[in-house]
Amino acid sequence: MNLFKHIGQIWSQYRAFRSTYSELSQLSDAELKDMGLYRGDIVRIAYDAAETSLTPAKAANSQGGEKAAGTFGILRESH
């Protein structure tokens, strides 16, 4: 059952990544600059948003010793 839970967490993180990435990608360079961002920052911000999207699950899993957040970091290291 842990495998399915882990896959579900990764899928949720992926959706959060894609959502953030697509929203920021639709902004113009001027709009990004107004927020203090550059186009090259979009991937980093999307990964950060995906990793922090599971903060409630991290608290629930802390009793079991499992880390919910950071599972997306495996994909980050490959890029």
Side-chain angles (χ1 to χ4, degrees):
M1 199 65 188
N2 278 339
L3 175 66
F4 294 117
K5 184 178 178 182
H6 186 68
I7 290 171
Q9 289 173 344
I10 291 174
W11 182 251
S12 295
Q13 286 180 316
Y14 176 74
R15 287 188 317 210
F17 169 82
R18 290 302 306 166
S19 174
T20 304
Y21 183 84
S22 66
E23 286 181 34
L24 291 175
S25 293
Q26 293 176 2
L27 298 176
S28 69
D29 288 338
E31 291 170 322
L32 288 170
K33 187 177 180 181
D34 286 343
M35 293 189 295
L37 303 174
Y38 296 98
R39 193 146 305 273
D41 295 332
I42 293 175
V43 172
R44 177 185 51 84
I45 292 169
Y47 274 123
D48 289 343
E51 286 186 353
T52 58
S53 69
L54 289 180
T55 52
K58 182 174 30 172
N61 285 338
S62 64
Q63 294 173 351
E66 246 181 273
K67 280 189 171 182
T71 55
F72 210 63
I74 295 168
L75 295 176
R76 173 187 288 185
E77 294 170 2
S78 67
H79 287 79

